[in-house]
Amino acid sequence: MFLEMVQSLPQVLIDGLTLGAVYAVVALGYTMVYGILQLINFAHGEIFMSGAFIGTALFILIMGMSWASAIPQIIVLILVLVVTACITGVLGMGIERVAYRPLRSAPRLIPLITAIGISFVLQDVVRFIAELSYGNYIVTGPSMFRDQITFKASSISSVFNDASFKTSFLIVLVIAVILMLSLDYFVNKTKWGTAMRAVALDRDTAALMSINVNKVISITFFIGSALGGATGVLFAVQYGTIDPFIGFILGMKAFIAAVLGGIGNIRGAMFGGLLLGVLEMFASSNLSLLTGGVFGAEYKDVFAFSILILVLIFKPEGLLGKPVAEKV
Amino acid sequence: MKGKWTLFLQQKWSQLILFTLFIVVTSSALYFSKKSVIAFLLLLSSLLILHYMNLKNLTKWIMAAALLFILIPFASSGGPAFHSYMEVATMVGIYVSMALGLNIVVGMAGLLDLGFVAFFAVGAYSYSIFATSQASNFMPFGTYPLGGESFWMFLIIGGIVAAIAGVLIGIPVLRVKGDYLAIVTLGFGEIIRILFNNADRPVNFTGGAMGISSIAPPKIFGFELVFPNHFYFVTLVILLFTLFAVNRLEQSKLGRSWKAVRENEIAAQAMGIPLVKTKLMAFALGASFSGVMGVVFAAKQAFIDPTSFTLMESFTILVMVVLGGMGSVPGVILGAAVVTILNLQVLTELTNWVNQLTNTGIISIPQALSPSKMQKFIFGAILVAFALYRPKGLIPAKNKIFDASKLKSETPQKNSVRTD
C-alpha cells in the first residue's frame, strides 16, 4: 500500500501543484480584501468563473479570425490574460462600489448577504449569456497547449512511476508564479502597496495620514479581481470545460487555502493554496487506498472542509499568521 | 373625502365587513373557477390583511385558524386543481416552519448559518431510513420497515436528532465568529450532503445518490395519509405548535439573551449571559424545527435523495428570512410564503404562459431566459436590494415595548416613599 502511494507521488505532485497554483492565486483575492475590509468577498469565486468565461469567449473569437494562426499561441494567451484581467478587475471594482461601499458601517452580516446575492446574480447572468450564445451553458474552449510531456521520475529512483503532464501545466504554473511574485513586489515595495498595508492596519489613521481610503480599497478590489479573472483563464486553458457553477466551490476551496495560510497574509495565501492543492490531490488519489476502499475520491471535499474546521479550531490565525488580540 | 375614508377604515366593524366581503369574493371565486391561481393567492393574502387589522390578538388567531383549517381547504376543493393548491400550501407550511427555525439562529442570535438544510436532511433521512427496509442493512434486530404509525413518534425523534446535529455543529463552531461561522456552516452542510450522497458503501445507510424510495405513508387510527390535503393538516398543526413555541421563546429569558448576544457578544457576556449555552440552544432549537419538517417532507414525497438538500436550499431559506425581516416572526412567515409561492407557482405559471406565447408565435423568448430558470437571479437581486435598501425586511422586527410608568403603577412599590 505504501509502495503504491510512493509510486503515484510524482503524478500527484504535478496535478496537485497545478490545482494548488489556481487555489493560491484565487486565495490572494480573498486574503487582500479580507486584510483591508475584514469582509469575505463571497463573489470572488464568481469573478474567477467570469474570468474563465470571458477568456474562453476571447479565445474562441481570436481563433476564429484568419490571422490568428500566424501568431504564436503564447502571445494569444498573454493578450487574453491581460484583457480578461482588466475586465474582471473593473467588474470587481463595480461590485465593491455597488454592494459593499454603501454598507461599510452596517453590521457585518449584511455585506455578507449582499456578497452571496451578487454571486448568484453573476452566476445566472453568465449562464444566460453563455446559453444564449452557445445554446448550452457548459462551454468547451479551443484546445491549446495539449502536447503531452513525460516526466521520467523512474530515472531518478526506481520507486516512482513516470508522470505525464500537458504543456499547459507548465504555463499555468509559470504564469501563476509570475502573478504571485509581482503582487508580492507590488504590496511590499511600491507606494500604493504601502498605502494598502496602511489601510489594512488601521483605516481611520490611514485616512488621517492623507491616504485616500476609498481609492485604495477600489485598487485592492481591482487587483484581487484581476488576479482572479486571470486565474480563471488559466483554469479554462488547463481543464478545457467550464460551466457557470465552478466558481462557488472553487472559491470556497481558495478561501480555505487563505485561512490555512493565515487570512490577511499574502505569502500565507500562496503557501496555503499550494499546500491545499497537493493535499487534496493526494487525498483524492489515495483515500480509498488508505481506508481500504471504504472512502473514495468523492470524499475529497469533505477532506478540504475538515481541514478548514480543524485549522479554525486549533490555529485560527493560520499557519503563517500571527495571533491578534481582540479589541474591545 | 379622503379623511372620512381613512376614518371609516380605522373602524373595527368596517374593517370586519370589508374583510368578510373580500374573503367571500375570493373564496367563491376559487371554489367555482376550474383553476385560478390568482384567487388562491388572494385568499392566502387575506391572512396578511388579518395581520394588519385593528383587532384583538385572540380574535385574529381564531379567525386565522378558521381560515386555515376550514375555509382554505374547502374553497380550493372546488376544482380539479385541489391537490396542486394543497401541495403548494403544504410546502409553504414546511418552509415557514424551517424559516422560523433559521430565524432563531440568524435573526435572533445573529449567527449566520449557511448549511441549515443539513438539519432538514437529517430529519428527512431519520424517518425514511426506518420507514423503508433500508434500516435492515445495519440494524440486525427489529423488523423493518416500521409501520406508518411510527411517523408520529418520528416527528419527535427527527426533531431530537436534528437538535443533536445542531449541537454537534455548534460545538466546534463556537470558537469562530461572524464570517468564519458562515463558511464553516456552509462546509458542514456540504459535508452532510456528500455523506448522504455516498453512504451506500460499504454499508448501505442512505441509498447513496439513488435516494430512498417508497417511504411508508403515515397512518392515524388505521387511516393512511397519502394525499396532499392530508399532509396540509399535519403541517398546519405542527406549524401552529412551532408558532406558539417561537412566540414564547422570543419573550423568554433565552430569547432576550439571543438578542443580547446578537447585538454585542462581549457586553452580553459581561452581563452574565452564558455565551456557549445560549449559542448552542439557538443552534439546537433552530435545527429541531427543521428536523421535524424534514420528517413531514420525507413522508409527503415518499422519496428523497440528496438533490433535495443542496446549498441552494439553504440559501432559499436564508432569502426567506432576509426578505421577511431578520428576527421578525410575522415577517419571516410572509417571506417564506412569498418565496415558496414565487418558486412553486408564480415562476412555473409564468414559464407555462411564456411557452404558450412562444408556441403560438406571438413573441419568442429564448429557452435560456425562461422564468423558471431565473430563480437564482431573482434571489440574488432580492438579497442585494433588501440588504441595501431595506435591511430590516418587509415586516421589520419589533421589540415588545413596556410602558415604564404603567408597570410601576401595577406593581406594588417598595421604595416609593422617598427620603428627600
Side-chain angles (χ1 to χ4, degrees), chain A residues 123 127 131 263 298 326, chain B residues 177 180 201 373 376:
Chain A
Q123 277 178 21
R127 187 186 61 78
E131 212 170 338
I263 196 153
E298 64 272 13
E326 193 175 347
Chain B
K177 267 189 233 158
Y180 284 133
R201 283 178 314 115
K373 290 185 178 175
K376 268 197 165 172

Side-chain angles (χ1 to χ4, degrees), chain B residues 218-234:
Chain B
K219 249 186 207 167
I220 186 164
F221 309 123
F223 178 74
E224 275 198 347
L225 307 182
V226 204
F227 291 114
N229 52 340
H230 301 153
F231 285 103
Y232 173 77
F233 289 106
V234 175

Side-chain angles (χ1 to χ4, degrees), chain B residues 25-38:
Chain B
V25 170
T26 49
S27 50
S28 52
L30 183 61
Y31 188 80
F32 290 112
S33 64
K34 282 250 178 294
K35 185 175 187 337
S36 160
V37 176
I38 294 172

Side-chain angles (χ1 to χ4, degrees), chain B residues 352-413:
Chain B
N352 289 343
W353 184 64
V354 167
N355 282 347
Q356 261 178 17
L357 285 187
T358 317
N359 287 343
T360 48
I362 298 171
I363 46 164
S364 89
I365 288 175
Q367 271 295 312
L369 291 175
S370 90
S372 63
K373 290 185 178 175
M374 304 256 292
Q375 197 190 2
K376 268 197 165 172
F377 184 82
I378 294 171
F379 280 4
I382 286 178
L383 279 178
V384 175
F386 270 75
L388 284 179
Y389 300 109
R390 261 197 100 140
K392 296 208 151 87
L394 288 174
I395 306 178
K398 270 189 290 192
N399 269 329
K400 199 171 180 182
I401 297 167
F402 293 98
D403 190 352
S405 54
K406 200 176 157 197
L407 278 178
K408 264 182 198 159
S409 64
E410 276 174 3
T411 48
Q413 291 180 1

Side-chain angles (χ1 to χ4, degrees), chain B residues 308-320:
Chain B
S308 310
F309 312 106
T310 55
L311 262 179
M312 194 59 200
E313 288 293 311
S314 289
F315 285 119
T316 309
I317 308 168
L318 181 71
V319 172
M320 293 168 183

